[in-house]
Amino acid sequence: MESRPLVVVGAGVSGSAAATEAAKAGVHVTLIDENPVPAAIAGLNVPQFFGQRFSGDLRDRALMLERVAAASEAVTEAKAAGVDVQLGTCVWGAFRNSDSSRMLDGPQLGLANDERSWMIKYDRLILATGARDLGIAFSGWNLAGAVGANGAFCLMNRYEASASRRMVVMGAGNLGLSTARMALDRGIEVAAIVDVSNSVRGDVALRTALQREGVKLYMSHTVREAVGRFGDIESVVLVEIDNNSEPVAGTEKVIAADTVCLAIGLVPNVELLSLLGCDLRFESGLGGYVPDRDDWMRTSVETVFVAGDVAGFHEGMVLDSEIARNQGRLAGLAAAESLGAIGKDEALARRADLQAEAVDSASNEVNSNWASWLQSLVTAGGPDIFVCPCEEVTCAELNDLHPPRRLKWKAERQSRRNLRTLAKDSPADSDQVKRLTRVGMGYCQGRLCREQVSMMLAAETGRDVADVPIMSYRPPVRPLPLKVLWPREEAEQVRRDWPKWFSPPRQVLG
Amino acid sequence: MSVVSADVVIIGAGVSGLTAAYFLARAGRDVVVVDKGIVGGEASGRNGGMISERTDEPAMIPMAVEAIKLWATLDEELGYPTEFTQQGRLQVAVTEKDMDDLFSERDAALRHGLRADMVDPSQIRDMIPGITDRILGGLFFANGGHANSQLTVQAFAWAFQDLGGRLFQNTVVTGIQVDGSRVTSVETSAGAIAADMVVGAAGPQTALMTQLVGVHVPVAPARVEILATAPVPPLFDIALVGNGLYGRQAASGNLLFGGGTHEWADVHLATDPDKPNTPLIRNIARRLAELLPCQADTPVIRSWAGVVEQVPDMMPIIDILECPSNYVVVTASAHGFGIAPATGKAVSDLVLYGETNIDIGAFGLHRFSDIGPDWRAELGWNPIPPRF
């Protein structure tokens, strides 16, 4: 099996900077990025909420590879520094030994492109896996045209393959405002920016410029529903909300649009960190679960470093890419130092001019904003909106712990069970709720519903969302066709020793 | 610390403990179930959900047959869904060796009066659309089936509570008090629970639990793996075994298949065992695509692992310890899920009457009287060297 001294996952701002920094220090660096993702995977809303709003260009793999490579100066710079850049390659698994598994002779990553998968070993790993779109349910968000900010950004910018024409943006923070800015720059109309707050949270200059170009802001508003006759969004109904997030009757406004963009928040992509056993903690101001790390960006697993949005995202980072870039350079330096490529003194000296710490975000309690959105959307859209669009689990079904609808289960005993009665037996556990209702078990691998399930569990059971344990991540963390996941060449030993179920005794493992 | 008391304390809210708890509560006993985690949090809620009349261990057949009878009416009885379906279990052969095994298994099944029919490749293709052309033949058990393991454990837990049973989740057993030849109470992180009778249904932790009362029971925990594909349109409702895999298409449409080499695991009394998947899931994927070539483009969306327990002869243990004489040991030795209704009934009978309707003679602890402390090494059940 191939072994690499340093693997960097994610070729965004921070990952590219990390790779370049380590390469300049003399390390042989492999930089892996999953973009462009195969169209079939993008259609599953993986890894971002693409909402089917992509053009046919996405199916042209060669064209996409060309565009993705051209879209980033940072990647070009990394290549120039000697980094081995592998685009269109995802990391779907991270494996390590433990009390219950000793079959590996070192930590490994599972990689795949659109055709095949393979395993590699590494000495050091920098995870710059970014963040994903926060999903919050509204009526009609299962229609084509409901997208997320990162999904829309990726389609508009990196892929140049957006099929949106007229967009309503949910969220008037920097994320929403900059998505609207990007849309206008790409010739997409922005019909409205909506926010549940009564004031614009985002950057004043950005907002003023948008308003000057005729973009209307609807503050203290929420989305009642997105409407479309043939599976595609055609219009959006907004409604004003009062101080209790309740919709005000008679204030509905119908706005023609083919795209509704959720730009309420981003959530750090910690799935590989979770598989590797890195300590994670909940930080409301940083988008949810983030890795514990030291001031060299090293996680609790000493060979694993983080940089960029995965280390914690806040809206200040939307307008200031220096934070992510400096975190990347720092992680690159630290990895190079730990590999012995440079000395500690040199690392310290190079570090002096890096301001990698995020600006103070403690005041930015994003979860209260997320919770207001969730409450307003559920109140406006009703209990039958889908929390989990893949498995079609509604808010009411989640609250009632309703068995999957296809079972048509009607027994009276079941109707006495719900999230609150479950919480009396044991603290709310998203994995248990997942098993009972199938919420989060769909093809998007829970990307769209995790956070709102935690928020709903917390709200229903009177707990803080920080106390709801993280819903588990399982490999493959990207959906992979059987024929991609399978090993082309299977180890002879594995084939020979493959047992029947624990029988006969002496052949179990031997 | 307040002292709780109960007629029976059951250690372990897995499927063996919960089925026993349910039948005991139904018989009017005051029962407390304690578990270090949540209901069915380990193998009981993580297994493949296969239900069959087993022929590989003849002594288990009456138990398996009894279990299937109970499964048939469980949904109605419990008031909660288990997703039990009984469209049969099909074992297919892809090699000549597989075929030989099927014939001997068929002969064994007939000897024990089970329904088992050899089926040819064209019949198999009707039963499992899209199955590989490499199929040589199959053995069909009409009484087999499958259920949703996660819904089933919760169904038993809730039905048990509906009968007044008390369930203490996230509660760690820290000690077992013995006075003379009897357990007097189970000490837990939530306080002591006085008990007339204790049922140790601790799965992989069975040996650690009996050690608390000074008894050695040979149990080895092992980790096993399963993967799940995205949902596909309904293909088959039969439990399928072949090409080194076992699995089913769930009611949700997902194909759930497991198999492959197992690894011996370490477990603890207070914490959940680590259950990583390994690169073995790629090999499981390969075998599934070989078995169902029409699904080669279907994405795998998750995988998981679970820790099961195994005893030297791979059969259940259902017995009362000699001393302390009010401690029942139950472990199903990695066959737990399918036969659980019957093991629960047997444990309940043992607690209530000191004897059972079903013959559990083969499941006694006496069979391990010659097993020494080095039994795992003697069987070759040691951790394997690196494989990937």
Side-chain angles (χ1 to χ4, degrees), chain A residues 69-151:
Chain A
S72 170
E73 282 174 26
V75 172
T76 312
E77 196 188 333
K79 273 186 185 159
V83 173
D84 174 13
V85 180
Q86 300 184 9
L87 298 178
T89 303
C90 73
V91 179
W92 54 267
F95 301 93
R96 66 195 160 95
N97 282 342
S98 74
D99 275 358
S100 309
S101 177
R102 301 178 180 91
M103 65 163 76
L104 308 180
D105 66 356
Q108 298 178 14
L109 297 178
L111 273 54
N113 58 22
D114 55 330
E115 289 181 341
R116 67 182 189 97
S117 73
W118 64 99
M119 308 295 301
I120 62 167
K121 292 180 198 167
Y122 59 87
D123 294 323
R124 296 293 181 277
L125 181 64
I126 297 176
L127 294 174
T129 47
R132 69 181 153 79
D133 293 310
L134 169 75
I136 296 190
F138 56 90
S139 180
W141 82 313
N142 50 328
L143 298 173
V147 304
N150 258 7

Side-chain angles (χ1 to χ4, degrees), chain B residues 171-191:
Chain B
T171 302
V172 173
V173 171
T174 53
I176 297 177
Q177 281 296 327
V178 179
D179 184 8
S181 65
R182 293 183 69 79
V183 174
T184 53
S185 68
V186 176
E187 292 172 346
T188 77
S189 53

Side-chain angles (χ1 to χ4, degrees), chain A residues 21 25 124 294-298 302 305 330-352 354:
Chain A
E21 193 72 22
R124 296 293 181 277
D294 66 13
D295 51 10
W296 286 95
M297 308 308 291
R298 188 193 291 256
E302 71 175 348
F305 301 79
L330 193 50
L333 275 180
E337 191 272 330
S338 76
L339 285 166
I342 53 172
K344 188 84 186 172
D345 292 346
E346 190 180 349
L348 278 169
R350 289 206 206 177
R351 176 195 158 143
L354 297 179

Side-chain angles (χ1 to χ4, degrees), chain A residues 100 102 413 475 483 502 509, chain B residues 78 262-263 274 297 303 314:
Chain A
S100 309
R102 301 178 180 91
R413 284 181 191 174
K483 69 175 186 194
F502 266 130
L509 281 173
Chain B
L78 300 178
H262 313 74
E263 273 194 278
D274 205 12
D297 288 305
S303 64
M314 313 210 140

Side-chain angles (χ1 to χ4, degrees), chain A residues 210-242:
Chain A
L210 288 167
Q211 283 176 312
R212 204 178 300 128
E213 290 175 56
V215 174
K216 276 204 80 167
L217 271 71
Y218 293 87
M219 305 312 293
S220 298
H221 274 68
T222 195
V223 171
R224 163 154 282 167
E225 60 179 332
V227 187
R229 282 167 301 172
F230 305 108
D232 274 77
I233 291 175
E234 292 169 346
S235 64
V236 184
V237 182
L238 306 185
V239 64
E240 205 173 316
I241 53 170
D242 64 20

Side-chain angles (χ1 to χ4, degrees), chain B residues 8 47 92 160 176 214 235 280 371:
Chain B
V8 186
N47 61 81
V92 296
F160 163 67
I176 297 177
L235 286 171
L280 191 75
I371 297 271

Side-chain angles (χ1 to χ4, degrees), chain A residues 170-223:
Chain A
M170 295 166 71
N174 288 340
L175 190 64
L177 298 183
S178 60
T179 306
R181 178 75 265 160
M182 168 73 69
L184 286 181
D185 292 347
R186 298 281 160 167
I188 298 165
E189 279 183 74
V190 177
I193 298 175
V194 193
D195 203 297
V196 288
S197 341
N198 55 17
S199 61
V200 177
R201 287 176 296 124
D203 182 72
V204 177
L206 196 50
R207 178 194 69 185
T208 315
L210 288 167
Q211 283 176 312
R212 204 178 300 128
E213 290 175 56
V215 174
K216 276 204 80 167
L217 271 71
Y218 293 87
M219 305 312 293
S220 298
H221 274 68
T222 195
V223 171

